[in-house]
């Protein structure tokens, strides 16, 4: 097959945006009004069939100031998510809180019969993910996890290439990502304290890298993991211009793992908030018919670092086909919010279902536990 013909196989792209009845507005609340909540609010304001009516934040006055700063009037503000859920008739909420409170806020909202868009990572531990899914199943409500990068056209291209069969059977994947200096402290210490974050780079950006490849290959079940994590940079007073942060740093700033998946697939993973090199390496999917190289980025941002390369044989000759960068016309956060709302309205499956992200969380949890134990562990996921 000629290279141009091969590329044409993958060019189909459909917009996720739909016209909706603006006379039927969904009432939405936002739990947690930190910086990520602003992206949710901007996207909701772009949706004509949505009315943001309430917000909650544990910090006194923070929710009120958040909505004022974003020029939104008439929003009821609460000190706790429980108070908001008790006093508002909501259709949906965005959970934008600390990682450590993701499970509690999501479970409480589902029990109140409210649909939930939960920011990544899903939670901190596998046990929490299981409890969330149990309540989700009982509630019958839509629960979608905030992985907007998979809506990027380049991410969808990766899955199209795998699904096309051009790579053949996948047997090995190396993936990850990172930053030379990128511990996220510009917004305070919530990302680096154990009590609020629970996880560091592993949960913050590691979940994205895992989703990129696991979604492409159909999310096979993880079986075993050998994990490693460290905190050398976060605990170094020489690293930051705020050396006092070193004393409270309580999560990982680097993690790596060797994961065995169902189907005989091996996953070689590494992720970093801070390191000396400029990359942990490109992502490569090794298949029995071909391979796909996905260039790394300087700072993991939900896309790819350049044109991808498909390695394959054509008429007995080793061939390389460049897959050019694709442009995503719509804003990824708008797409994330819209796909969540459409699932509510159309009564369809969540765009990023917990049945998939449970495996993502199981790997993250397994890496952390394996590192603490210093040995390989089996991943045990009960039927929910």
């Amino acid at each position: 097959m000629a290279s141009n013909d091969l590329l044409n196989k993958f060019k189909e792209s459909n917009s996720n945006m739909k016209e909706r009845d603006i006379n039927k507005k969904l009432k939405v609340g936002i739990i947690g009004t930190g910086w990520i909540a602003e992206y949710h609010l901007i996207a909701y304001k772009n949706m004509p069939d949505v009315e943001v009516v309430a917000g909650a934040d544990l910090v006194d006055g923070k929710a009120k100031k958040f909505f004022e700063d974003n020029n939104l009037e008439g929003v009821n503000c609460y000190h706790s998510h429980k108070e908001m859920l008790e006093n508002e008739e909501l259709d949906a909420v965005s959970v934008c809180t600390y990682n450590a409170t993701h499970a509690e806020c999501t479970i409480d909202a589902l029990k109140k019969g409210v649909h939930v868009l939960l920011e990544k990572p899903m939670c901190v531990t596998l046990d929490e993910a299981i409890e969330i899914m149990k309540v989700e199943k009982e509630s019958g409500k839509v629960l979608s996890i905030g992985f907007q990068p998979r809506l990027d056209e380049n991410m969808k291209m990766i899955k199209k290439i795998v699904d096309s069969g051009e790579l053949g059977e996948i047997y090995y994947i190396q993936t990850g990502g990172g930053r030379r200096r990128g511990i996220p402290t510009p917004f305070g210490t919530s990302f680096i304290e154990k009590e609020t974050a629970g996880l560091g780079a592993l949960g913050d950006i590691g979940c994205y890298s895992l989703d990129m490849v696991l979604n492409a290959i159909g999310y096979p079940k993880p079986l075993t993991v050998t994990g490693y994590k460290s905190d050398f940079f976060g605990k170094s007073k020489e690293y930051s211009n705020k050396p006092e942060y070193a004393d409270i740093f309580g999560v990982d700033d680097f993690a790596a793992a060797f994961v065995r998946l169902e189907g005989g697939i091996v996953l070689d993973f590494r992720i970093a908030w801070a390191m000396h090199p400029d990359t942990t390496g490109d992502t490569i999917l090794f298949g029995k018919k071909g391979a796909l190289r996905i260039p790394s980025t300087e700072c993991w941002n939900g896309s790819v670092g350049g044109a991808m390369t498909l390695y394959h044989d054509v008429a007995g000759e080793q061939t390389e086909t460049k897959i050019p960068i694709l442009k995503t016309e719509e804003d990824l956060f708008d797409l994330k919010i819209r796909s969540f709302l459409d699932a509510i309205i159309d009564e369809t499956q969540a765009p990023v279902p917990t049945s998939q992200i449970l495996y993502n969380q199981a790997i993250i949890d397994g890496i952390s536990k394996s590192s603490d134990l210093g040995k390989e562990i089996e991943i045990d996921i009960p039927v929910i």
Side-chain angles (χ1 to χ4, degrees):
M1 178 181 292
S3 293
N4 287 340
D5 293 337
L6 180 63
L7 290 175
N8 287 335
K9 283 181 59 178
F10 306 128
K11 282 187 176 178
E12 295 180 9
S13 177
N14 299 308
S15 172
N16 288 19
M17 307 297 273
K18 300 178 181 180
E19 291 187 8
R20 287 299 183 183
D21 184 355
I22 63 173
N23 295 313
K24 297 179 181 179
K25 292 184 181 292
L26 293 170
K27 293 185 177 181
V28 172
I30 297 178
I31 303 174
T33 55
W35 70 274
I36 196 65
E38 185 171 355
Y39 290 90
H40 284 250
L41 181 59
I42 291 170
Y44 281 128
K45 289 170 70 175
N46 288 335
M47 305 299 154
D49 56 345
V50 167
E51 182 181 8
V52 177
V53 298
D57 199 290
L58 293 173
V59 178
D60 290 336
K62 187 176 179 181
K64 182 174 183 295
K65 184 178 186 304
F66 170 76
F67 291 111
E68 288 176 349
D69 290 347
N70 285 280
N71 301 311
L72 197 62
E73 299 178 352
V75 179
N76 297 324
C77 296
Y78 299 90
H79 179 71
S80 74
H81 73 282
K82 292 179 183 290
E83 186 182 2
M84 184 182 79
L85 292 169
E86 286 291 339
N87 288 279
E88 299 286 340
E89 292 292 329
L90 299 172
D91 296 300
V93 294
S94 277
V95 174
C96 304
T97 61
Y98 308 139
N99 296 345
T101 57
H102 279 189
E104 177 189 1
C105 294
T106 299
I107 288 170
D108 288 344
L110 291 171
K111 285 182 175 179
K112 280 292 182 180
V114 177
H115 303 284
V116 178
L117 176 56
L118 173 58
E119 258 305 327
K120 60 79 191 169
M122 183 176 177
C123 47
V124 176
T125 69
L126 176 58
D127 288 343
E128 287 179 336
I130 291 167
E131 288 305 308
I132 288 172
M133 289 187 65
K134 286 179 179 177
V135 177
E136 174 196 15
K137 187 175 182 180
E138 293 170 358
S139 73
K141 297 300 176 180
V142 173
L143 169 57
S144 188
I145 313 302
F147 283 83
Q148 72 276 0
R150 70 160 70 174
L151 300 172
D152 177 87
E153 290 298 328
N154 300 286
M155 293 297 172
K156 291 191 283 187
M157 174 63 76
I158 296 168
K159 184 166 178 58
K160 287 178 184 178
I161 291 171
V162 173
D163 289 346
S164 74
E166 288 294 327
L167 304 183
E169 184 180 351
I170 304 296
Y171 61 91
Y172 180 87
I173 300 171
Q174 69 175 45
T175 194
R179 311 161 182 168
R180 291 188 71 174
R181 293 292 186 271
I183 295 176
T185 52
F187 307 101
T189 61
S190 61
F191 276 92
I192 65 172
E193 293 190 73
K194 183 71 173 179
E195 294 74 17
T196 52
L199 298 163
L202 183 55
D204 181 40
I205 53 177
C207 65
Y208 275 149
S209 294
L210 289 171
D211 188 66
M212 176 173 67
V213 294
L214 294 174
N215 181 56
I217 64 174
Y219 258 100
K221 185 178 181 180
L223 303 176
T224 66
V225 59
T226 299
Y228 169 83
K229 58 185 180 179
S230 60
D231 55 9
F232 304 131
F233 292 87
K235 288 190 175 298
S236 170
K237 293 183 183 296
E238 298 175 358
Y239 166 81
S240 174
N241 59 2
K242 294 185 177 180
E244 65 272 19
Y245 284 180
D247 295 329
I248 60 174
F249 194 90
V251 294
D252 58 277
D253 58 36
F254 176 81
F258 191 80
V259 186
R260 295 186 184 278
L261 308 171
E262 275 189 339
I265 303 171
V266 169
L267 177 64
D268 180 357
F269 165 82
R270 74 297 298 237
I271 199 77
W273 267 348
M275 57 183 173
H276 287 297
D278 60 357
T279 179
T280 60
D282 292 345
T283 291
I284 306 178
L285 285 77
F286 293 70
K288 294 181 179 180
K289 287 176 58 180
L292 180 68
R293 180 186 293 274
I294 305 162
S296 63
T297 60
E298 290 186 5
C299 177
W300 216 102
N301 62 359
S303 189
V304 302
M308 296 183 285
T309 304
L310 175 62
Y311 301 88
H312 54 134
D313 294 342
V314 176
E317 296 293 329
Q318 291 181 329
T319 305
E320 298 177 11
T321 300
K322 291 293 183 181
I323 311 295
I325 289 289
L326 300 171
K327 182 180 179 181
T328 304
E329 296 297 334
E330 297 92 350
D331 180 83
L332 290 183
F333 254 82
D334 281 358
L335 289 174
K336 174 167 76 172
I337 297 295
R338 186 69 259 169
S339 61
F340 167 62
L341 299 173
D342 287 346
I344 296 171
I345 296 168
D346 297 333
E347 298 182 346
T348 55
Q349 178 178 300
V352 184
T354 56
S355 58
Q356 294 178 351
I357 308 306
L358 175 66
Y359 290 172
N360 189 303
Q361 195 70 44
I363 291 173
I364 290 171
D365 185 68
I367 294 170
S368 184
K369 287 178 178 175
S370 171
S371 178
D372 291 342
L373 293 170
K375 64 178 183 179
E376 182 180 64
I377 64 170
E378 293 186 4
I379 297 178
D380 182 23
I381 304 174
V383 177
I384 300 172

